[in-house]
Each structure stands twice: as C-alpha cells, then as structure tokens.
Amino acid sequence: MSSITIRDVADYAGVSRATVSRVLNNNPAVDQALRVRVEDAVQALGYQPNRTARRLRAQSSNVIGLIISDIRNPYFLSIIQGVEDVAYAHQMSLILCNSDEDPTKEQMYLRVMEAEHVAGLIMVPSQSSEEQQLSRLKKIGIPVILLDRVADDFEVDAVKVDNERGALDAVRHLAALGYRRIAIITGPMHLTTGRERYAGYRSALEAAGLAYDEALVKIGNFKTESGYQLTRELLAMAQPPDAIFVSNNMMTLGTLRALREQGIHVPQEMALVGFDDMPWSGDLYSPLTVVSQPTYELGQEATNLLLRRLADPGLPFRTVILQTRLIVRESCGAKLRS
Amino acid sequence: MSSITIRDVADYAGVSRATVSRVLNNNPAVDQALRVRVEDAVQALGYQPNRTARRLRAQSSNVIGLIISDIRNPYFLSIIQGVEDVAYAHQMSLILCNSDEDPTKEQMYLRVMEAEHVAGLIMVPSQSSEEQQLSRLKKIGIPVILLDRVADDFEVDAVKVDNERGALDAVRHLAALGYRRIAIITGPMHLTTGRERYAGYRSALEAAGLAYDEALVKIGNFKTESGYQLTRELLAMAQPPDAIFVSNNMMTLGTLRALREQGIHVPQEMALVGFDDMPWSGDLYSPLTVVSQPTYELGQEATNLLLRRLADPGLPFRTVILQTRLIVRESCGAKLRS
DNA sequence: CTGAAAGCGCTTACAG
DNA sequence: CTGAAAGCGCTTACAG
C-alpha cells in the first residue's frame, strides 16, 4: 500500500503538515522556498494525498455520480463519454450506477451517492412519474442534474433535447415524401420523451393536413421487444400504415426485425424513420433515416451545468435544450424518388 | 445535508458510539436489547453511515474500480452490466473510468483508484505492451483483475475468452463451406486478442489443408476505420479473397461498409465472419455470422474473481478462460447452400 | 457484553 | 508566512 502520508512529506521537507497541506492545495500564502522544498519531497517520496481523508475533513469531494437508466442501451455510450471527458478535464472522477429502470434500485443508488458524499449527481431518471422522481430527489442533499427525461418546469437543473421539434421534423419529412398513413410507436406517456415525441407527431400531422387516426398510435416501453410487437400489430391492421415513426433506437431495431420477418421491404413497402442515431445505423438491413440526438454534447452539457452549480450554489435553475438533427438515409424512401 | 452522525444515534439510543458501530457492522457480541434500541434509533433518525469516514478508519472500502479501454465500444456494455450486477448484489459500488486506449490517461486513473482507496480494480488494459502493463500495475497496491486482453502467464488474476479457439471455429467454418482464399483482419500483435485470434486463423488453415498467404493477413487497430481501410486493400488485390474473418466488432462494421460501398454482395460475392456479437448483429445489412463472446459472464466472472481475492488475498493467481460460441447467420453463406 | 479513548490522514481556524 | 492543535465521522484494540 502507498502508506506514505502527509506526515512523511512534512518530515522529509522539514516543515509542518499544515504547510504541506497548503502547498498541496495551492494556498498562495506559502513562502516560495518552502513550497519548493515540499514539492521536492512530494516528488522524492512519490506521495499521493489520501482522497478519503481529504474528503472527510474538507467536506468536499471530487467525484461525480452518474446514474443512468439502462446501461445496455448504446444511446448512453456517448453520453457517458461526454460526462467522463469533461469530468476528467476538471480532475474529477465518476461513479457510474445503473438503475436498470428500477425505482427501488435507483433509490438505493441515490442513498449510496449521498453516503459517498459525491460532489454532485447527474442522472437519467428511471421510468417513474415526475412527482415520484422529484420526491426522491428532495430527500437527498446533493446537487442534481437531470438528463434526457425531464419536464421543462422541474425545480432542478436539466439537459434535454427538443423532443417535440425532433419528432415534428421526422414526421414532416415523411409527409413531404407523400406518405398519408403515418404511424407512431412512442414511449410511455408518463415520460417526457414519450409524451413530447408524440406531441411532435401530432403537430406534424396537423401541419401537413393529415387526419389523425388513433389506430396508428402505439405506445411502447422503449425496448426492442416492444417495437417488435407493436409493429406486428400495425402490420396486422386491415389498413396498415405506409410509414412508421419510431421514437427511440431500441424500438426501431424491433420494428426493423418485424418488418424483415414479414418480408416487407423498407422503404419500398414501408417507410421508416427512427429517433436516435447509432454509429451503425447506416449499416443496418435498411440504412436508417433518423432523428439524431447530440449525445456527446448532452453529456458534456450536463457536466458543465453541474460544475457551474457547484461553483455557485445560489444560481437559479436552468434547463438546457439541445437541438436534434434529421439524418436522411434510405429507410424513409427519400432516395427512391430522386 | 444528512448531518446525522453516529453520535446522534448513540445519544438517541442511550448507548456509546462504539455500540452503534458494532450494531451497524453486525458484530455478534451485542446484547439483543441494545441492538434493537440502536436499530430503532437508526430508523427514527434516518441515519446513514458516512462511508468516507468508515473507509478512512477501517482502511477498507466497498467500491470497485473499473477501467475500460474504450467506452464507445458496445462490446463493453454487457461487461459493465455484468460487473455492476454482481457488485450491486454484494453492496459494492462502481467507479468507472475510460482510459480511451491512452496509457497516460490509464496511468492517471490507476493513481486515482489508489488515492480513492478502492477495494479492488477490474481493468481492460489499454493498447500497450504487456510489460508496460505489468510495470504499471506493480506500482499500485491494490488487487487487480485483468479483463479481455491478457496473457495467460501474467502474475495477476484474469478473465478472458479462448480467442484462439474462437477464431479457429470461425475460420474452420468458412473452410468447411468451401472457401479457399480466406483473409483475416486481426488486431495489433502486441495485444493478446490480436495475436491469439491470428493464431486460431493459422491453425484452422492448417487443419483444413489451405495454403497460408501472407497477403491475406491484415493487421488493424480494432477500430471501424481500420476495418474499412484494410477491406479496401483486400478488394484491390489482383486476386482478392473469397471470405474474410474480421477479429472484432468495430472492424467488422468497417468491413461491411467497404463491401457495401463497392456493391459487393455478402455472402454471394464475399463471405464474412466477425468476432463479437452485438444485439443488432442480426439486423445489419448482412446478418452477421459471428464468434460470440459471453460478455455478461465475463463481467460477472471478473467481479467474482475480485471478491474472492479480497476475501482471501493469499490465494494463488488464477486465469479464467470462457468459451466463445459461433452464431451462424447469413454473412458466411451457410444458408446459401442449404 | 460495553464504553472511554486513540487514531485513520487530512484541513483549517487560531495564534504568533 | 508558519505551526500546534482540534476535529471530520467513523472503528477497534483495550479494559473492565
């Protein structure tokens, strides 16, 4: 074990532990000569401050907690990297937890974060209602940044994407290509992501003068299996849709699978636009036209927000909304007509 | 902040802090009546022990460090989940770091882990030589479990997959289907994964009585771009291969892209087998035949190994080798002939 | 079985 | 500008 402590450094340098501590913390009120002696001692001994002791005493910490809702979803990959990169740049480390969409597990991790005295917390809430989320957060005494699923009027800092606008872009694109019966597979209505993407769908329909047909609205749970099932339901209709907008990456994978199983060609017999891009979305069975979220920036932004909050706890709450981008590949059929 | 300390609980229950501590740590030598009183007090106050203080005093911690080499590779998703699940089951939390294939960053995180006094460390070494890895590890005084890239004779605990056997299965499968000019795109030879998969390729060739042609061996860096480039080189040959074995998921994606760009049909004009499965491998442009690693189990096993090591530091080192599984889909052409 | 006391490795008023 | 001393919230020999 690295059992070299501040005391060893102090002895080696011939100063008090207080002075060593001051040098370590860049306290300007230290004589240059002493500073150099301490730095040499640190170097010579390979000393490394014990973060646990520092945290206990200083009542401050340089670790950030990150709780995400489903580690298996590649959506979170770049988000994690975004968080990690800016945390690293600020010399902070990360504790990552996976709530697995389980409010109980989430609650437990919230307590862990508290017990670990993390400086702050970034979290993607699990699939529970907003009131539940809020009440859970109220219980912990740590700055929290909410990510992805978040109502605009929450009393917390948050980062999200303009879901309604993204969905609107997607469906408008489909309408412009001439599709008339556009279905949506959206997420749970108690999640803002499910609700807002659905709202964008309705706006686009209206703007395009297309009739709203409730039979074309399917509500899934953002998992592959649910995309698969709901697509089968859509295909079994007497009058199936001619296009489908699927509101997240995992469900889109399920939709694609269902379509392929039934031998339905995309986009010739069914157009498809998904939400969320993945590095391999262009390499899928049908290269996916997609509403792309700036995931890396989402992670960066959340971390910046947290850093800002830590620096100045009195600031008013802020919600940062990032824009999506429509990436046109083949599944929407745009290239069929050109 | 949760400023309720062990002292508050002691006062409330009318016992000493030592007794509270004993109850908290399930020390059996506590009178039943006192135990109940303490538990009630904990309950009533909503007390939660400060982990930082405990860690400092007890010189032991319940956090596990996990350093992976590239958070953007979906390969690590299930691994992380495997680690997380068993850690969670044992009430341990995770610090996740991403070395990003950068030995300097890795070195820094190693120091962080040490400074954080994590109980132990699971790591996927970055792309450096084994000696470098070893010497870096020697410097830290924490139990380490190596994952994925690891020589069998390392003086550490390790978990890996039988790379040579996996590659052999893949190439033998190709040979059995009648392909004669089978190329390999492998990883860096200073990584065991690159080396061992290459060795499996050679064994399979030999077993099948196929000539070894150095021109058919390409060495990439496990990233998409390199798979793409090397595939183009392969296609530009006077006498291109009739099948390609690609030794990781990211490079396979690059290969697929290159093939599609050149309008080459898989498997009709070129057969393809990849290493690593992904949940969407069957939904790609050509559903991928693949050597699948038990990633979730890899993560579980690594964590179990660590737990075992923590429980008994004197145990001899152990390397756990898990088997791969060949998943036959369409890219290999097996279904063409049936 | 229980408590008083020391101490884990730091930081930070407080004097000087 | 510097050091002696107290203390962060726990755990753990040591007595009894």
Side-chain angles (χ1 to χ4, degrees):
Chain A
M1 283 285 161
S2 129
S3 43
I4 300 156
T5 73
I6 198 172
R7 153 159 245 141
D8 300 310
V9 178
D11 291 351
Y12 189 101
V15 300
S16 74
R17 278 170 278 164
T19 298
V20 176
S21 176
R22 289 194 187 98
V23 171
L24 257 24
N25 292 293
N26 290 315
N27 186 326
V30 172
D31 183 84
Q32 188 57 23
L34 282 198
R35 178 180 299 280
V36 170
R37 249 158 65 201
V38 169
E39 279 163 356
D40 287 350
V42 166
Q43 204 63 40
L45 265 32
Y47 168 68
Q48 200 165 4
N50 181 325
R51 291 193 180 198
T52 304
R54 169 179 292 180
R55 193 171 306 158
L56 176 61
R57 178 56 234 245
Q59 301 287 47
S60 84
S61 123
N62 48 3
V63 358
I64 294 178
L66 176 59
I67 302 185
I68 63 176
S69 56
D70 176 13
I71 186 78
R72 284 191 124 124
N73 186 339
Y75 169 68
F76 293 110
L77 254 25
S78 310
I79 290 189
I80 296 176
Q81 172 141 51
V83 172
E84 214 261 345
D85 280 357
V86 356
Y88 177 76
H90 288 81
Q91 256 110 231
M92 305 198 75
S93 11
L94 222 56
I95 297 197
L96 175 76
C97 300
N98 175 33
S99 70
D100 222 5
E101 300 289 13
D102 176 351
T104 309
K105 206 169 165 189
E106 180 179 74
Q107 182 61 45
M108 187 287 249
Y109 275 134
L110 246 19
R111 301 196 142 272
V112 168
M113 293 299 181
E114 202 184 347
E116 288 287 348
H117 282 240
V118 298
L121 185 56
I122 298 173
M123 87 183 256
V124 182
S126 71
Q127 293 202 3
S128 48
S129 75
E130 282 141 32
E131 298 85 77
Q132 287 178 300
Q133 289 172 16
L134 242 191
S135 78
R136 239 173 287 138
L137 287 183
K138 282 270 159 67
K139 287 191 199 140
I140 74 163
I142 296 173
V144 175
I145 311 293
L146 253 28
L147 187 52
D148 185 35
R149 300 166 174 175
V150 31
D152 294 351
D153 58 350
F154 250 11
E155 293 267 295
V156 278
D157 292 309
V159 182
K160 60 180 290 199
V161 117
D162 190 340
N163 289 298
E164 181 162 353
R165 173 64 186 280
L168 189 142
D169 286 348
V171 178
R172 183 164 50 190
H173 177 70
L174 250 10
L177 289 171
Y179 300 102
R180 304 286 81 159
R181 288 182 56 71
I182 305 172
I184 180 175
I185 298 180
T186 187
M189 285 300 169
H190 63 269
L191 291 181
T192 55
T193 42
R195 213 159 57 223
E196 294 171 357
R197 291 170 198 175
Y198 168 74
Y201 165 79
R202 293 214 54 168
S203 309
L205 249 36
E206 197 167 327
L210 291 177
Y212 173 72
D213 180 353
E214 208 166 78
L216 294 178
V217 176
K218 297 290 182 185
I219 298 181
N221 66 0
F222 283 143
K223 304 237 172 189
T224 304
E225 180 59 20
S226 114
Y228 176 82
Q229 285 303 341
L230 296 172
T231 302
R232 288 178 62 104
E233 290 181 20
L234 249 16
L235 295 176
M237 288 172 64
Q239 205 191 343
D242 52 10
I244 309 179
F245 166 59
V246 189
S247 71
N248 94 325
N249 57 353
M250 300 315 270
M251 294 197 298
T252 305
L253 251 16
T255 294
L256 210 54
R257 196 167 298 168
L259 256 17
R260 190 151 58 105
E261 270 184 24
Q262 313 258 316
I264 294 174
H265 293 98
V266 179
Q268 295 83 347
E269 303 171 77
M270 179 72 77
L272 184 61
V273 176
F275 212 99
D276 302 325
D277 195 32
M278 301 183 291
W280 44 85
S281 290
D283 302 306
L284 290 170
Y285 162 62
S286 174
L288 249 33
T289 291
V290 116
V291 178
S292 165
Q293 295 195 43
T295 44
Y296 184 78
E297 288 75 14
L298 241 23
Q300 284 185 307
E301 210 50 60
T303 316
N304 284 330
L305 222 49
L306 179 56
L307 260 17
R308 165 183 165 278
R309 166 71 52 209
L310 293 175
D312 188 350
L315 256 25
F317 292 119
R318 178 193 290 188
T319 294
V320 174
I321 300 183
L322 267 30
Q323 290 303 324
T324 57
R325 192 164 58 87
L326 185 71
I327 300 179
V328 177
R329 285 191 278 244
E330 297 176 21
S331 67
C332 60
K335 294 184 180 160
L336 281 182
R337 0 218 128 190
S338 57
Chain B
M1 283 286 163
S2 128
S3 43
I4 300 155
T5 74
I6 198 171
R7 152 160 246 140
D8 300 310
V9 177
D11 291 351
Y12 188 100
V15 299
S16 74
R17 278 169 279 164
T19 299
V20 175
S21 175
R22 289 194 186 98
V23 172
L24 257 26
N25 292 293
N26 290 314
N27 186 326
V30 173
D31 184 83
Q32 188 56 26
L34 283 198
R35 177 180 300 279
V36 170
R37 248 158 66 200
V38 169
E39 278 163 355
D40 288 350
V42 166
Q43 204 62 41
L45 266 31
Y47 168 69
Q48 201 167 2
N50 181 326
R51 291 192 181 201
T52 304
R54 169 178 291 181
R55 195 170 305 158
L56 176 59
R57 178 57 234 243
Q59 301 286 50
S60 83
S61 125
N62 48 3
V63 0
I64 294 177
L66 176 59
I67 303 185
I68 63 176
S69 57
D70 176 13
I71 187 77
R72 284 192 124 124
N73 186 340
Y75 168 68
F76 293 109
L77 256 25
S78 309
I79 290 189
I80 296 176
Q81 173 142 50
V83 172
E84 214 261 344
D85 280 357
V86 357
Y88 177 75
H90 288 80
Q91 256 108 233
M92 305 199 75
S93 10
L94 221 57
I95 298 196
L96 176 76
C97 301
N98 175 32
S99 69
D100 223 5
E101 300 288 12
D102 176 351
T104 309
K105 204 168 165 192
E106 179 180 76
Q107 182 61 44
M108 188 286 251
Y109 275 135
L110 244 19
R111 300 197 143 271
V112 168
M113 293 300 180
E114 200 184 349
E116 287 288 349
H117 281 240
V118 299
L121 185 56
I122 298 172
M123 87 183 256
V124 181
S126 70
Q127 295 202 5
S128 48
S129 75
E130 281 140 31
E131 299 85 76
Q132 286 178 299
Q133 290 172 17
L134 243 190
S135 78
R136 239 172 287 140
L137 288 181
K138 281 272 159 66
K139 287 193 198 136
I140 76 164
I142 296 173
V144 175
I145 312 293
L146 253 27
L147 188 51
D148 185 35
R149 299 166 175 175
V150 30
D152 294 352
D153 59 351
F154 251 11
E155 293 268 294
V156 279
D157 293 309
V159 183
K160 61 181 288 199
V161 117
D162 189 340
N163 290 298
E164 180 162 354
R165 173 63 185 281
L168 188 143
D169 286 348
V171 177
R172 182 163 52 188
H173 177 71
L174 250 12
L177 289 170
Y179 300 103
R180 304 287 81 158
R181 287 182 57 72
I182 305 173
I184 181 174
I185 299 180
T186 188
M189 286 300 169
H190 64 268
L191 292 180
T192 55
T193 42
R195 213 159 58 221
E196 294 171 357
R197 291 171 199 173
Y198 168 74
Y201 165 80
R202 293 214 55 167
S203 308
L205 248 38
E206 195 167 329
L210 292 176
Y212 172 72
D213 180 354
E214 209 167 78
L216 294 178
V217 175
K218 297 290 182 185
I219 298 181
N221 66 1
F222 283 144
K223 305 237 171 187
T224 304
E225 180 59 19
S226 113
Y228 175 83
Q229 284 304 343
L230 296 173
T231 302
R232 288 178 62 106
E233 289 182 19
L234 249 15
L235 295 175
M237 289 172 65
Q239 203 191 346
D242 52 9
I244 309 179
F245 165 60
V246 189
S247 70
N248 94 324
N249 56 353
M250 301 314 271
M251 293 197 298
T252 305
L253 251 18
T255 295
L256 210 53
R257 196 166 299 168
L259 257 14
R260 190 152 57 104
E261 271 184 24
Q262 312 259 315
I264 295 174
H265 293 98
V266 179
Q268 294 84 347
E269 303 171 78
M270 179 72 77
L272 185 60
V273 175
F275 211 98
D276 302 326
D277 195 32
M278 302 182 290
W280 45 83
S281 290
D283 302 307
L284 290 170
Y285 161 64
S286 174
L288 248 33
T289 291
V290 116
V291 178
S292 164
Q293 294 196 45
T295 44
Y296 184 78
E297 289 75 14
L298 241 24
Q300 284 186 307
E301 209 51 59
T303 317
N304 285 330
L305 221 48
L306 179 56
L307 260 17
R308 165 181 166 279
R309 166 72 52 210
L310 293 176
D312 188 350
L315 256 24
F317 292 120
R318 180 193 288 188
T319 294
V320 174
I321 300 183
L322 268 30
Q323 290 304 323
T324 57
R325 192 164 58 87
L326 185 71
I327 300 180
V328 177
R329 286 191 279 244
E330 297 175 23
S331 67
C332 60
K335 294 184 179 157
L336 281 183
R337 0 219 129 190
S338 59

